[in-house]
Amino acid sequence: MWLLDQWAERHILDAQQKGEFDNLPGSGEPLLLDDDSHIPAELRAGYRLLKNAGCLTPELEYRKEAVMLIDLLNSVQHDHPDFQLLHRRLSLLEMKLRQAGLSTDFLRGDYAAKLQQKINEE
């Protein structure tokens, strides 16, 4: 065991003996771990690192940009010079998302209406 590992292990054991880990929030509850079983084992560490750094896959980046463009389009008048440019960019992102096999239903606003209806039913 490396010197740093031994040092850390000693401090952890000391803290346990002093009871510093007792009554922590979530103590005794199962850990909620991300399901990354669909990612090959040799890539999991890299994916976890990128996820923790806030990096998204290209498809999720497209989705994020599409949501931002929808918000912009909702705030811009139809006769504004940038409206057509934003609309074309959104169409391109929609095509990329469909090619990636992702649903583009969220672009139509149907999801929010269906979600609100489901919440109202309950």
Side-chain angles (χ1 to χ4, degrees):
M1 191 178 279
W2 294 95
L3 182 61
L4 185 60
D5 293 335
Q6 292 174 351
W7 177 82
E9 194 67 30
R10 188 181 73 231
H11 282 312
I12 291 170
L13 289 173
D14 289 345
Q16 283 177 330
Q17 289 172 353
K18 292 178 186 175
E20 293 177 11
F21 296 136
D22 298 344
N23 302 320
L24 289 175
S27 178
E29 297 176 15
L31 294 174
L32 299 175
L33 301 175
D34 292 337
D35 180 24
D36 56 3
S37 59
H38 62 286
I39 299 171
E42 63 274 7
L43 297 177
R44 287 184 189 152
Y47 273 64
R48 173 76 49 187
L49 181 69
L50 290 171
K51 180 181 178 188
N52 291 342
C55 296
L56 298 175
T57 62
E59 293 82 12
L60 291 177
E61 284 287 344
Y62 296 152
R63 183 180 170 98
K64 183 178 174 182
E65 186 177 350
V67 169
M68 181 192 69
L69 284 171
I70 289 171
D71 290 341
L72 282 172
L73 282 169
N74 289 335
S75 65
V76 172
Q77 298 292 327
H78 289 274
D79 57 351
H80 191 277
D82 292 337
F83 183 84
Q84 289 300 321
L85 178 67
L86 293 171
H87 195 272
R88 279 184 289 194
R89 179 68 185 150
L90 181 60
S91 297
L92 177 65
L93 287 173
E94 183 176 4
M95 183 182 68
K96 287 181 179 181
L97 287 167
R98 285 185 181 170
Q99 286 177 339
L102 298 174
S103 172
T104 57
D105 292 343
F106 70 96
L107 296 173
R108 306 290 173 260
D110 298 337
Y111 181 76
K114 289 179 183 178
L115 182 62
Q116 186 64 41
Q117 181 182 3
K118 182 75 173 172
I119 290 172
N120 291 337
E121 289 175 1
E122 296 175 357

